[in-house]
Amino acid sequence: MLTKKSSASPVRGGRLARVRDRVDALLPATIDRRTFLKRSGLGIGAGATFSALASQVPFAMIGKAEAADATEAPKPGAVETRRTVCTHCSVGCAVDAEVRNGVWVGQEPVFDSPLNMGAHCAKGASVREHGHGEMRLKSPMKLVDGKYQKISWEQALNEVSAKLLEIRKKSGPDAVYWIGSSKHSNEQTYLMRKFVSFWGTNNCDHQARICHSTTVAGVANTWGYGAMTNSYNDMQNAKAILFMGSNAAEAHPVAMLHILHAKENGAKVMVMDPRFTRTAAKADQYVRFRSGTDIPVIWGMLYHIFKNGWEDKNYISDRVYGMDKVREEVMKWTPDRVKEVSGAEEADLYRVAETMAKNKPSTIVWCMGQTQHTIGNAMVRAFCCLQLALGNIGTSGGGANIFRGHDNVQGATDIGPNPDSLPGYYGIAAGSWKHWATVWGVDYDWIKGRFSSEAMMTKPGITVSRWIDGVLEKNENIDQDVNLKAVVYWGHAPNSQSRGLEMIEAMKALETLVVIDPYPSATAAMAAMVRKDGVYLLPASTQFETVGSVTASNRSIQWREKVIEPLFESKPDHVIMYLLAQKFGFDKELTKNIKVTNNEPNIEDILREINRGTWTIGYTGQSPERIKLHMKHMSTFDVKTLRAKGGPCDGDYFGLPWPCWGTPELKHPGTPNLYDTSKHVMEGGGNFRANFGVERDGVSLLAGDGSASKGADLQFGYPEFDHVLLKKLGWWDDLTEDEKKKADGKNWKTDLSGGIQRVVMKVHGCYPFGNAKARALVWNFPDPVAVHREPLYSTRPEMVEKYPTHDDKKAFWRLPTLFKSVQQKNIADKVYVTFPLILTSGRLVEYEGGGEETRSNPWLAELRQDMFVEINPKAANDRGIRNDDWVWVKTPTKAQLKVRAMVTERVGPDTCFMPFHFSGHWQGKDMIEYYPEGAHPLVRGEAANTATTYGYDSVTMMQETKTTVCQVVKA
Amino acid sequence: MASNPIDLKRRKFLFSAGAGGAGAVAAVAGGRVLLQPEAAVPAAKIPIADRGYQATEHVRNYYRTARV
Amino acid sequence: MARMKFLCDSERCISCNGCVTACKNENEVPWGINRRRVVTLSDGVPGEKSISVACMHCSDAPCMAVCPVDCFYHTDEGVVLHDKDMCIGCGYCFYACPFGAPQYPQMGTFGVRGKMDKCTFCAGGPEPDHSEEEFKKYGGNRLADGKLPLCAEMCSTKALLAGDGDIVAEIFRGRALNRGKGADLWGWGTAYGKEGVKPKSDKAKEGTS
Amino acid sequence: MKRILFLAALFASANAIAAEAPPASAQDQPPHNNVKLWQDVRSGQPQFTTVRGVETGVLIQSRGETWRELRNGPVTLYGGILLCVVLAAIAIFYKLRGAVKLKAPLTGRKMARFSYFERSVHWSMAGSFVILALSGLNMLFGKHLLLPLVGHEVFSWLAVLCKNLHNFVGPLFLFSIVVAFFLFVKDNIWRASDLHWIRTAGGLLSGSHVPAWRFNFGEKFWFWIGLVFVGLTISISGFVLDFANFAQGRSIMQTANIIHAVFALMFICMSLGHIYIGTIGMEGALDAMRTGYVDETWAREHHELWFEEQQRKTAARESGTAPASGEPAAQS
């Protein structure tokens, strides 16, 4: 009778027998889930519970369940279906959860979802297990004498807030570091940024930093927005698809549904990667190259494109700025030079380039293989240049399809806790603060008062990749008054950040560490390994235990219904935020426009506040009502175009992919493909953004004539709109009187009435952010044209000499950041001799991120029970290593990981690969004793990042994890 | 139970060998006993019980997605 | 009557193991029992292909043929089911099955190889549909719900197909034509050619059985 | 044709389409054909899988089909026929020849033939053998013979009992074989008189007595070929099946099972002869193993050399001298 699954018993609960339905149906409606479970647990096999009930209920009532279901209205105990979205990657797979008496008893595919059509990978097919979560943190805990002890929420909140307030008082608000999450809903992640702002710091960040920060910065600086331009679905329209640094088959398996469909319809699939991945297995062409040499490879392709005149000359002249400078750099990359640096053959690159050029629209996909490098921002821009040269951006089937990682990393990037921006990429200049202060309904000066100074308010905070240096770095070297004294891990895995050995030291040095997570165990165990006290664990609920919206990689926003009530003693993140805000004394300000019931800020109110303020990226049209309507009528959307045909959402694109301009009333359909001039702006069309001025060095940055979006009144390049331009154009009077009042003195980003956007788009068919050229030359970056620079840890000293890295930076995101000094020291120390193998990392399909959640799921954990390192047979034979042997992976950090050897041709002889999802072993030792009781993942293993080395991107502080060095020896 | 043709279809295997199974197996007394009345319910009232494959809306929907 | 079949399209299978966990989700099979598994051939080298495999519900089922207690039976749709009450755990079906479908709890312990467990095509077992015993012994019964095996329904790339053999074949035929030039089909034909091309009569028989 | 049906089930529909597909262009692109794939599939070699267990990486293990054909075919059919033939032969023989009667009258004087320990070992061997044989026969023939009579429920109950008895009694049988070997080996060593016994077929047909030591050649054959060779073969192959916890693959188990079945059937047939001659086939033979004592007449008629030796020993004992160091030595 126990309706909750137990890992001990093989077939208990789950999809319950119909007989059980009836028994459940008879339970009093007032009974709560826990009591029910407890009670029903006593009577295994129906006996106890049933006989107790049978006396009250005539037997006749207990008829055939199906008959009852069919003829009677659902009553308590009947199966209810709730629609939610998988929390494991950015594809946004819809899930129908079947719930009975508050227990998640069944999971059904949603064939109607245009994004996944019912399809799931191993993770998606097992999300129901998270609704049971035996290995979760069940109550607040506190580290006492090196052991975690259960405490009450009241005590936890009191002690946590007291400690943090004490630190704030003593050292200022910047002494606390807040690590938010890409697994929060849009509303939670937005509230988190607001929360941190009211705490008075910019020291906050989340997974996007170590995921796609270089993409976001690189892409946004090239053409406007830092997001996937098209969609998974739109890839069905591609004729050629190039993956580089992406392993979609394992990281975004359901994306392959669309990709393989394209392939079957004739699209050529190409994979360029140091590793022969599962995606490569599905490719027509595969090119192996040395990790970290992406730029030579891309330039090597562009070389052939320019040489053969395959570039789109009109497109470049009308819509691209600075391609001539790129061309200069590219033509230096002759095939032999490319081969020398990257190992890629001329013929292979020629073939890929030709395929891309002659099968248009062609699209590219990249992921962390591109981004996690010291020159990640440049690699990303090199790819942009390739697509711009081919004229692929802004076309259906083309674009830069940048697959995001976590389910809501796009949303968290857009409106979440970023150290350098308020929600919506507004930045942190005074004007941005004023805009949001207005939206939040609080006084700008009050917020300013919360910060230690106005200077700190406009200074980007420390990044999550470097918080450890914020703790450990000498105080005089850091660009804030004090070192970090406390860190709040709010939905982030420590093992996904590099330099694990130093992280342990940082954890030791902290005054307080607070972990808020459904599965805080990796952080908890690491902390308990080096500390005796000062650690608090607060159980957060998963996204299945609350409501909220989530932004998929293609910018579509979906709504999650609450599947079950929070399990155990956990609370949803926004509730915890509110409770902490109460203790900190800014709960009133935090929820000025938001209704609060039982300490829970209303999610829909939060979304409406987001709608009211996020004009920059068009998060304004997606009201809760519209999103919910989409979720309800998924079947009306076309799989290939994502557009609804008929029905209540007629004309909308699924999930109203941002930018969905104007107010919800404007009924903008969302933008399926960015910068697409073939469509009217009110049909989702667009063009490149005018964000970098109108001219540079006498050259116009505005788009050429005839390259405006379809039906625009201005068929030429134009700057972004503000009240002045509107008046000049004589469009001001198209505004209503009310709008005029609000819009005066404002621009398209700050006009809270939405009038400017409405008039510009609906009346005149123009794009609010102007119409400019994309920048192939990003003059504000260290390398305006992408140039190759060797990683700090390279196995090729002669290459380092030719392609040295950047100079060290003194104050960069508040921290000194080393480049050249590390690289040169490595050469001097001959690190390449001791560590002759390239170490790279990536995903497994069964696990996600830090992996605590998925490794706690028995259905997934059974499939991957050991951490391993992939090593080529040649490298293995040279070292006397056989498949499945235990080996030590050693790196220059002096860390050594004991893992299984997987001898495979997937990697070349110079490369080793490790998945990054494991934790729970520390250099050969099982950490189980350090975990909170009953909250250790089923599978534990060495964390790859325990051994990763120093290295950060020169723009975004992205960590380098894809190219470092190691040695492997038999254990 | 055996009087119900739908039951028989799938269970004839079980009962073909004589020795009645239904009563004997009632390990979970509640469950089994409860099921007795079902035999009296006319087949029309049992929408899906004891039936195998049917090309339902759900199944057709699945086939549709497999064609993509 | 429709004949139920599984078909794994190796051109689509990306070995994501979605089918494996979907099976566990639907049927709550315990750790150590895998009714379905994905096997990758030529792993890590060009030509790599993956295939998801479980009980194929054979027409002339070897398990059924060798079972000393005759606990297997075909449903009207050709699904091979077995009665765990009768199963004696002898392991013969495991020896006979070419696909490695039969699983045993605690397999390997002396003399107590438990009752055999295998894929039921999500059709439960001989117990009354949706009864508690049925669920405990065999897992879900989706067929009776007018649904198909969850592994196929949830397959990430729709590589694993399940359902009416005729429709499944027609879906696959559509894909094969789309892929064009018979490039991939050529291999299929060759493989079967090597086994001796199956006469049409057998095909027909199978379709109706 | 039937044989490939089950394989065809896997990719049945693909097959039909394959016939329609134009193969020509594909052959121009070797990487696009799947020959290698199908070769790998058919090879039975383990490939990559994340599912743990024995042979989970093997996609198709074709030998199961051979096993099935052997077991369900010749083993069941000819094994069954053989059993019937042997039973019939014994019956006919008994009808024609009748029991081997003692020619001389009983003396009433008993002499010890088997010690208590020897009898215990024999009977534990015999008992476990009978259990194993019956339960084994039930595994092979039960579904054809018994199942239709008693129905699934009873048969299944019986089969579970049989299987568990078989699994647990098996090791006991091996144990008793090993003990019996050491117990009886010295009396089963080849002696010159055995040749005579073979030449006259033990006198079974002629009815004349062939002198023998403690065990005649028939018994020695049973000891060496039956108990030692066949018994150990069955035991070892049985252990392979019984102890499945050494990650032995299916192919080993399939082979073991066929060996086990074939030898078990042989053993059963041989044992029928042994049982026949030890019971109704020969007057007084059962007494030897039942009571441990035989009448002097019986001993003289069937094991004359042994009888004489025992007489000498008794005489020697009575006259106070130690017995000869051992029969084999005396013989040589």
Side-chain angles (χ1 to χ4, degrees), chain A residues 868-877 880-885 887 900-907, chain C residues 43, chain D residues 48:
Chain A
F868 60 92
V869 60
E870 287 180 7
I871 183 166
N872 186 275
K874 182 179 182 299
N877 288 339
I881 293 165
R882 303 186 63 171
N883 195 36
D884 235 19
D885 280 352
V887 294
R900 293 261 194 203
M902 180 173 177
V903 179
T904 173
E905 297 279 358
R906 288 178 197 167
V907 288
Chain C
D43 178 43
Chain D
F48 180 83

Side-chain angles (χ1 to χ4, degrees), chain A residues 5 10-11 13-15 17-18 107-108 117 119-120 122 125 128 264-265 278 281-282 846 862 906, chain C residues 12-13 15-17 21 24-26 28 32 34 43 48 130 132 135-136 142 145 154 158 178-179:
Chain A
K5 194 204 142 285
V11 280
R15 189 73 51 95
R18 297 280 158 136
Q107 185 185 338
E108 287 293 327
M117 291 181 282
H120 286 300
R128 186 170 69 87
E264 279 166 18
N265 284 324
R278 291 274 185 258
K282 290 282 170 283
E846 290 85 1
E862 192 191 343
R906 288 178 197 167
Chain C
R12 283 239 187 150
C13 180
S15 75
C16 76
N17 277 328
T21 55
K24 286 165 183 271
N25 192 339
E26 177 67 23
E28 296 258 13
N34 285 285
D43 178 43
E48 174 186 304
H130 303 306
E132 185 155 329
F135 182 79
K136 278 187 173 170
R142 297 177 65 81
D145 277 338
M154 282 188 176
K158 308 286 173 188
N178 250 2
R179 285 170 194 155

Side-chain angles (χ1 to χ4, degrees), chain C residues 168-191:
Chain C
V168 164
E170 176 250 302
I171 292 170
F172 188 82
R173 184 177 297 120
R175 284 185 197 175
L177 292 174
N178 250 2
R179 285 170 194 155
K181 299 180 191 167
D184 300 310
L185 294 173
W186 184 83
W188 291 72
T190 312

Side-chain angles (χ1 to χ4, degrees), chain A residues 881-901:
Chain A
I881 293 165
R882 303 186 63 171
N883 195 36
D884 235 19
D885 280 352
W886 285 105
V887 294
W888 289 105
V889 177
K890 302 181 176 204
T891 70
T893 63
K894 297 199 170 57
Q896 50 175 15
L897 312 181
K898 194 179 179 190
V899 300
R900 293 261 194 203

